[in-house]
Amino acid sequence: MVVVWSNSAKAELKKAYEYIALDSLQNAQMVRDTLIDLTIELLEHPEKYPSDKFKKDNDGTWRAFEKYHYRVSYRILQNQIRIVRLRHTSKSPLNY
């Protein structure tokens, strides 16, 4: 099993890093690295976090967690964990 980030999730992580780096490069690196590490940890415990409450008709494979005011939504597939989106919790969630 592998962790795969969608292009939009990667772009959002980059934007978050660049925004935080305007004030503190050290904090930007910490937030980025922690979020990446948490997604890698999903390989051992993919169902660690609760079902994504914003996913309509969730079959239990769509899950999400929050760290440092960022929400990471992911989907557990047969041979990968797909990081679907990343957003700051101050932004309105998308129902999908």
Side-chain angles (χ1 to χ4, degrees), residues 5 10 16 18 23 27 43 49 51 53-54 70 76-77 96:
W5 285 64
K10 284 191 279 190
E18 290 170 349
D23 287 330
N27 285 344
L43 293 171
Y49 299 103
S51 292
K53 63 186 176 187
F54 297 111
Y70 286 93
I76 305 166
L77 300 170
Y96 61 103

Side-chain angles (χ1 to χ4, degrees), residues 47-74:
E47 297 176 349
K48 177 179 181 177
Y49 299 103
S51 292
D52 189 342
K53 63 186 176 187
F54 297 111
K55 173 66 176 144
K56 294 178 185 174
D57 301 321
N58 189 343
D59 61 3
T61 62
W62 297 85
R63 296 180 174 262
F65 66 90
E66 294 179 9
K67 184 72 174 179
Y68 301 124
H69 301 287
Y70 286 93
R71 179 178 175 84
V72 178
S73 300
Y74 66 97

Side-chain angles (χ1 to χ4, degrees), residues 7-65:
N7 289 336
S8 62
K10 284 191 279 190
E12 286 300 317
L13 182 62
K14 183 179 179 193
K15 281 175 32 181
Y17 175 86
E18 290 170 349
Y19 178 77
I20 297 167
L22 294 174
D23 287 330
S24 169
L25 183 59
Q26 183 178 4
N27 285 344
Q29 291 169 340
M30 179 190 65
V31 169
R32 178 199 60 201
D33 294 349
T34 300
L35 292 174
I36 291 170
D37 289 347
L38 288 171
T39 63
I40 291 169
E41 288 174 13
L42 293 172
L43 293 171
E44 291 188 29
H45 304 287
E47 297 176 349
K48 177 179 181 177
Y49 299 103
S51 292
D52 189 342
K53 63 186 176 187
F54 297 111
K55 173 66 176 144
K56 294 178 185 174
D57 301 321
N58 189 343
D59 61 3
T61 62
W62 297 85
R63 296 180 174 262
F65 66 90

